[in-house]
mmCIF file of all heavy atoms in Angstrom:
data_model
loop_
_atom_site.group_PDB
_atom_site.id
_atom_site.type_symbol
_atom_site.label_atom_id
_atom_site.label_comp_id
_atom_site.label_asym_id
_atom_site.label_seq_id
_atom_site.Cartn_x
_atom_site.Cartn_y
_atom_site.Cartn_z
ATOM 1 N N ALA S 1 -24.230 182.254 208.232
ATOM 2 C CA ALA S 1 -22.836 182.123 208.021
ATOM 3 C C ALA S 1 -22.101 183.177 208.798
ATOM 4 O O ALA S 1 -21.020 182.979 209.341
ATOM 5 C CB ALA S 1 -22.520 182.097 206.525
ATOM 6 N N LEU S 2 -22.662 184.390 208.717
ATOM 7 C CA LEU S 2 -21.958 185.560 209.432
ATOM 8 C C LEU S 2 -22.166 185.593 210.904
ATOM 9 O O LEU S 2 -21.539 186.384 211.587
ATOM 10 C CB LEU S 2 -22.402 186.870 208.721
ATOM 11 C CG LEU S 2 -21.922 187.060 207.224
ATOM 12 C CD1 LEU S 2 -22.514 188.378 206.748
ATOM 13 C CD2 LEU S 2 -20.426 187.129 207.220
ATOM 14 N N GLN S 3 -23.189 184.879 211.395
ATOM 15 C CA GLN S 3 -23.491 184.915 212.816
ATOM 16 C C GLN S 3 -22.341 184.707 213.700
ATOM 17 O O GLN S 3 -22.147 185.416 214.708
ATOM 18 C CB GLN S 3 -24.623 183.957 213.079
ATOM 19 C CG GLN S 3 -25.103 183.890 214.544
ATOM 20 C CD GLN S 3 -25.770 185.155 215.037
ATOM 21 O OE1 GLN S 3 -26.015 186.099 214.283
ATOM 22 N NE2 GLN S 3 -26.232 185.220 216.252
ATOM 23 N N PRO S 4 -21.458 183.644 213.470
ATOM 24 C CA PRO S 4 -20.378 183.478 214.396
ATOM 25 C C PRO S 4 -19.379 184.668 214.391
ATOM 26 O O PRO S 4 -18.753 184.931 215.426
ATOM 27 C CB PRO S 4 -19.642 182.244 213.747
ATOM 28 C CG PRO S 4 -20.722 181.499 213.029
ATOM 29 C CD PRO S 4 -21.611 182.562 212.485
ATOM 30 N N VAL S 5 -19.177 185.333 213.256
ATOM 31 C CA VAL S 5 -18.357 186.435 213.227
ATOM 32 C C VAL S 5 -18.848 187.613 214.135
ATOM 33 O O VAL S 5 -18.118 188.183 214.877
ATOM 34 C CB VAL S 5 -18.200 187.083 211.810
ATOM 35 C CG1 VAL S 5 -17.340 188.274 211.732
ATOM 36 C CG2 VAL S 5 -17.619 185.924 210.867
ATOM 37 N N VAL S 6 -20.237 187.791 214.060
ATOM 38 C CA VAL S 6 -20.799 188.794 214.871
ATOM 39 C C VAL S 6 -20.738 188.459 216.332
ATOM 40 O O VAL S 6 -20.522 189.249 217.212
ATOM 41 C CB VAL S 6 -22.282 189.135 214.406
ATOM 42 C CG1 VAL S 6 -22.944 190.141 215.262
ATOM 43 C CG2 VAL S 6 -22.264 189.560 212.957
ATOM 44 N N GLN S 7 -21.109 187.200 216.669
ATOM 45 C CA GLN S 7 -21.102 186.707 217.967
ATOM 46 C C GLN S 7 -19.715 186.817 218.638
ATOM 47 O O GLN S 7 -19.519 187.039 219.847
ATOM 48 C CB GLN S 7 -21.627 185.310 218.088
ATOM 49 C CG GLN S 7 -23.137 185.195 218.005
ATOM 50 C CD GLN S 7 -23.554 183.737 218.306
ATOM 51 O OE1 GLN S 7 -22.869 182.802 218.071
ATOM 52 N NE2 GLN S 7 -24.827 183.620 218.856
ATOM 53 N N ALA S 8 -18.694 186.591 217.855
ATOM 54 C CA ALA S 8 -17.315 186.621 218.358
ATOM 55 C C ALA S 8 -16.864 188.019 218.684
ATOM 56 O O ALA S 8 -15.776 188.251 219.201
ATOM 57 C CB ALA S 8 -16.338 185.920 217.411
ATOM 58 N N GLY S 9 -17.665 188.981 218.278
ATOM 59 C CA GLY S 9 -17.274 190.390 218.553
ATOM 60 C C GLY S 9 -16.325 190.962 217.507
ATOM 61 O O GLY S 9 -15.806 192.051 217.721
ATOM 62 N N LEU S 10 -16.105 190.191 216.424
ATOM 63 C CA LEU S 10 -15.118 190.741 215.375
ATOM 64 C C LEU S 10 -15.743 191.892 214.563
ATOM 65 O O LEU S 10 -14.982 192.552 213.891
ATOM 66 C CB LEU S 10 -14.729 189.616 214.441
ATOM 67 C CG LEU S 10 -14.043 188.453 215.142
ATOM 68 C CD1 LEU S 10 -13.729 187.354 214.087
ATOM 69 C CD2 LEU S 10 -12.690 188.862 215.714
ATOM 70 N N ALA S 11 -17.024 192.126 214.730
ATOM 71 C CA ALA S 11 -17.618 193.166 214.001
ATOM 72 C C ALA S 11 -17.447 194.532 214.741
ATOM 73 O O ALA S 11 -17.841 195.553 214.218
ATOM 74 C CB ALA S 11 -19.144 192.922 213.741
ATOM 75 N N GLU S 12 -16.983 194.513 215.977
ATOM 76 C CA GLU S 12 -16.820 195.720 216.715
ATOM 77 C C GLU S 12 -15.664 196.532 216.047
ATOM 78 O O GLU S 12 -14.635 196.058 215.735
ATOM 79 C CB GLU S 12 -16.416 195.461 218.177
ATOM 80 C CG GLU S 12 -17.484 194.713 218.856
ATOM 81 C CD GLU S 12 -17.078 194.396 220.356
ATOM 82 O OE1 GLU S 12 -16.079 194.866 220.781
ATOM 83 O OE2 GLU S 12 -17.827 193.657 220.976
ATOM 84 N N GLY S 13 -15.872 197.879 215.859
ATOM 85 C CA GLY S 13 -14.894 198.746 215.339
ATOM 86 C C GLY S 13 -15.124 198.958 213.869
ATOM 87 O O GLY S 13 -14.386 199.813 213.259
ATOM 88 N N PHE S 14 -16.047 198.314 213.227
ATOM 89 C CA PHE S 14 -16.406 198.553 211.819
ATOM 90 C C PHE S 14 -17.875 198.371 211.579
ATOM 91 O O PHE S 14 -18.472 197.579 212.319
ATOM 92 C CB PHE S 14 -15.481 197.798 210.896
ATOM 93 C CG PHE S 14 -15.879 196.315 210.789
ATOM 94 C CD1 PHE S 14 -16.818 195.844 209.927
ATOM 95 C CD2 PHE S 14 -15.273 195.417 211.630
ATOM 96 C CE1 PHE S 14 -17.155 194.490 209.787
ATOM 97 C CE2 PHE S 14 -15.556 194.039 211.557
ATOM 98 C CZ PHE S 14 -16.555 193.612 210.687
ATOM 99 N N GLY S 15 -18.297 199.035 210.529
ATOM 100 C CA GLY S 15 -19.707 198.821 210.156
ATOM 101 C C GLY S 15 -19.855 197.881 208.929
ATOM 102 O O GLY S 15 -19.522 198.258 207.883
ATOM 103 N N LEU S 16 -20.284 196.609 209.212
ATOM 104 C CA LEU S 16 -20.549 195.746 208.109
ATOM 105 C C LEU S 16 -21.803 196.123 207.368
ATOM 106 O O LEU S 16 -22.891 196.288 207.983
ATOM 107 C CB LEU S 16 -20.720 194.341 208.702
ATOM 108 C CG LEU S 16 -21.006 193.166 207.660
ATOM 109 C CD1 LEU S 16 -19.875 193.102 206.730
ATOM 110 C CD2 LEU S 16 -21.272 191.905 208.381
ATOM 111 N N GLU S 17 -21.651 196.349 206.100
ATOM 112 C CA GLU S 17 -22.743 196.775 205.269
ATOM 113 C C GLU S 17 -23.044 195.713 204.130
ATOM 114 O O GLU S 17 -22.083 195.466 203.379
ATOM 115 C CB GLU S 17 -22.565 198.147 204.569
ATOM 116 C CG GLU S 17 -23.645 198.596 203.709
ATOM 117 C CD GLU S 17 -23.424 199.945 203.174
ATOM 118 O OE1 GLU S 17 -22.382 200.579 203.425
ATOM 119 O OE2 GLU S 17 -24.316 200.525 202.453
ATOM 120 N N LEU S 18 -24.217 195.102 204.091
ATOM 121 C CA LEU S 18 -24.495 194.201 203.103
ATOM 122 C C LEU S 18 -25.298 194.880 201.991
ATOM 123 O O LEU S 18 -26.328 195.401 202.204
ATOM 124 C CB LEU S 18 -25.393 193.067 203.686
ATOM 125 C CG LEU S 18 -24.761 192.249 204.808
ATOM 126 C CD1 LEU S 18 -25.777 191.198 205.352
ATOM 127 C CD2 LEU S 18 -23.550 191.551 204.341
ATOM 128 N N ILE S 19 -24.699 194.858 200.812
ATOM 129 C CA ILE S 19 -25.332 195.489 199.607
ATOM 130 C C ILE S 19 -25.844 194.387 198.738
ATOM 131 O O ILE S 19 -25.179 193.445 198.336
ATOM 132 C CB ILE S 19 -24.291 196.361 198.821
ATOM 133 C CG1 ILE S 19 -23.790 197.508 199.759
ATOM 134 C CG2 ILE S 19 -24.827 196.902 197.527
ATOM 135 C CD1 ILE S 19 -22.729 198.360 199.176
ATOM 136 N N VAL S 20 -27.095 194.511 198.306
ATOM 137 C CA VAL S 20 -27.759 193.444 197.635
ATOM 138 C C VAL S 20 -27.848 193.747 196.127
ATOM 139 O O VAL S 20 -28.228 194.836 195.714
ATOM 140 C CB VAL S 20 -29.191 193.194 198.130
ATOM 141 C CG1 VAL S 20 -29.945 192.191 197.308
ATOM 142 C CG2 VAL S 20 -29.166 192.808 199.592
ATOM 143 N N ASP S 21 -27.465 192.767 195.336
ATOM 144 C CA ASP S 21 -27.564 192.881 193.864
ATOM 145 C C ASP S 21 -27.719 191.451 193.340
ATOM 146 O O ASP S 21 -27.436 190.448 193.985
ATOM 147 C CB ASP S 21 -26.408 193.641 193.243
ATOM 148 C CG ASP S 21 -26.748 194.205 191.850
ATOM 149 O OD1 ASP S 21 -27.833 193.829 191.287
ATOM 150 O OD2 ASP S 21 -25.987 195.034 191.319
ATOM 151 N N ASP S 22 -28.060 191.309 192.033
ATOM 152 C CA ASP S 22 -28.033 189.987 191.385
ATOM 153 C C ASP S 22 -26.635 189.436 191.370
ATOM 154 O O ASP S 22 -25.675 190.096 191.200
ATOM 155 C CB ASP S 22 -28.597 190.158 189.923
ATOM 156 C CG ASP S 22 -28.762 188.811 189.247
ATOM 157 O OD1 ASP S 22 -29.824 188.242 189.368
ATOM 158 O OD2 ASP S 22 -27.783 188.399 188.587
ATOM 159 N N GLN S 23 -26.590 188.142 191.540
ATOM 160 C CA GLN S 23 -25.267 187.409 191.624
ATOM 161 C C GLN S 23 -24.405 187.675 190.371
ATOM 162 O O GLN S 23 -23.159 187.494 190.446
ATOM 163 C CB GLN S 23 -25.441 185.951 191.894
ATOM 164 C CG GLN S 23 -26.149 185.127 190.897
ATOM 165 C CD GLN S 23 -27.633 185.078 191.191
ATOM 166 O OE1 GLN S 23 -28.191 185.739 192.086
ATOM 167 N NE2 GLN S 23 -28.334 184.195 190.493
ATOM 168 N N ASP S 24 -25.014 187.941 189.278
ATOM 169 C CA ASP S 24 -24.283 188.174 188.057
ATOM 170 C C ASP S 24 -23.681 189.602 187.939
ATOM 171 O O ASP S 24 -22.890 189.909 187.028
ATOM 172 C CB ASP S 24 -25.115 187.923 186.785
ATOM 173 C CG ASP S 24 -25.534 186.489 186.637
ATOM 174 O OD1 ASP S 24 -24.811 185.643 187.130
ATOM 175 O OD2 ASP S 24 -26.560 186.156 186.084
ATOM 176 N N PHE S 25 -24.123 190.477 188.891
ATOM 177 C CA PHE S 25 -23.722 191.921 188.816
ATOM 178 C C PHE S 25 -22.959 192.390 190.040
ATOM 179 O O PHE S 25 -22.369 193.449 190.076
ATOM 180 C CB PHE S 25 -25.052 192.757 188.663
ATOM 181 C CG PHE S 25 -25.740 192.554 187.388
ATOM 182 C CD1 PHE S 25 -26.670 191.546 187.291
ATOM 183 C CD2 PHE S 25 -25.471 193.393 186.288
ATOM 184 C CE1 PHE S 25 -27.324 191.345 186.055
ATOM 185 C CE2 PHE S 25 -26.106 193.205 185.129
ATOM 186 C CZ PHE S 25 -27.075 192.164 185.003
#
């Protein structure tokens, strides 16, 4: 899902950080 965002270059200029936790938390 996030691949098009990255491919479009919109991630330049910020660090996208994915933090993992249970969906209830």
Side-chain angles (χ1 to χ4, degrees):
L2 291 176
Q3 179 69 1
V5 178
V6 176
Q7 280 189 331
L10 297 178
E12 296 178 9
F14 72 90
L16 177 63
E17 180 177 2
L18 300 178
I19 296 175
V20 177
D21 202 346
D22 185 88
Q23 60 266 12
D24 295 333
F25 294 85

